[in-house]
Amino acid sequence: MSTTPAPAPSLTPAVLHRLVQEGRAPRLLDVRTPGEFRTAHIPGSYNVPLDTLREHRAELLTHLDEDVVLVCRSGQRAAQAEKALAEAGLPDLRVLEGGIVAWETAGAPLDRGPERWDMERQVRLVAGSVVLATGLAGIFLPGAHLLGTAIGAGLTYAALSNSCAMGVLLSKLPYNRGPRTDIRTVIAELRSTP
């Protein structure tokens, strides 16, 4: 019998905002893509995309303490990052409850860059477009609708497994990558701040 690990404790945007204002901010690791990070991020946060974090978690561990809050758009990728870091030996991490969406809704400050569509919106566009196109094509090409059915099955699986293969694929596009996150730069930044 396997037990599912308890989810990481969350930190509400209000509590985190108060800590930031009091000068007691924890280290904020934003695990979204560089493109998403450039669009809007919490001032003082470090961008360590989820794939980079997973690949270099052992290197990151030596530069992180237990006062770390993981941030993403809504909390899902941050929870995956928490699991990866916990497996590598860094317990007691926290996840920003509701992610950047909740932070912004709470009226907390964001550093903004060029506007981009977030990953969830991109997935909805691609999935919806494929379903629409194959539905219309099915009128003339028997069986074309099956591609739309496969997309629907993939989205159902994504919801049940809390993963998104389409999001992973879209994150690889140049639009979402932005400047490549260099782990040496991230580690140097982590070293230079108390």
Side-chain angles (χ1 to χ4, degrees):
M1 175 200 293
S2 71
T3 58
T4 305
S10 61
L11 189 65
T12 66
V15 170
L16 179 57
H17 189 218
R18 188 182 74 241
L19 291 171
V20 169
Q21 288 178 317
E22 294 172 354
R24 299 184 305 132
R27 296 249 175 133
L28 302 174
L29 296 187
D30 190 320
V31 299
R32 297 174 301 149
T33 66
E36 290 173 294
F37 183 81
R38 286 182 62 205
T39 297
H41 61 272
I42 299 172
S45 59
Y46 301 93
N47 185 219
V48 185
L50 184 56
D51 290 343
T52 302
L53 181 137
R54 285 180 176 146
E55 183 180 340
H56 297 282
R57 61 186 166 186
E59 296 167 67
L60 288 168
L61 284 182
T62 59
H63 304 287
L64 298 174
D65 55 25
E66 293 182 5
D67 196 17
V68 173
V69 174
L70 298 162
V71 179
C72 68
R73 182 184 181 282
S74 64
Q76 292 180 9
R77 284 178 278 177
Q80 293 173 25
E82 183 277 331
K83 181 180 177 188
L85 288 172
E87 288 172 356
L90 188 62
D92 304 323
L93 298 163
R94 294 175 289 174
V95 170
L96 177 60
E97 187 177 294
I100 289 290
V101 172
W103 178 263
E104 184 173 23
T105 301
L110 286 171
D111 283 345
R112 293 198 177 274
E115 190 65 34
R116 293 173 182 259
W117 282 17
D118 61 51
M119 192 59 61
E120 182 180 314
R121 186 175 182 189
Q122 291 177 53
V123 168
R124 289 192 314 250
L125 173 70
V126 170
S129 297
V130 170
V131 170
L132 177 62
T134 59
L136 293 173
I139 296 169
F140 305 104
L141 299 169
H145 71 284
L146 293 177
L147 182 57
T149 302
I151 294 291
L155 291 173
T156 301
Y157 175 77
L160 295 173
S161 67
N162 198 24
S163 64
C164 185
M166 188 179 295
V168 170
L169 291 173
L170 290 172
S171 72
K172 307 291 185 204
L173 295 175
Y175 175 82
N176 291 314
R177 284 185 300 194
R180 181 156 168 78
T181 302
D182 177 49
I183 193 65
R184 289 181 299 269
T185 303
V186 171
I187 288 174
E189 289 174 354
L190 289 171
R191 280 185 193 150
S192 68
T193 56

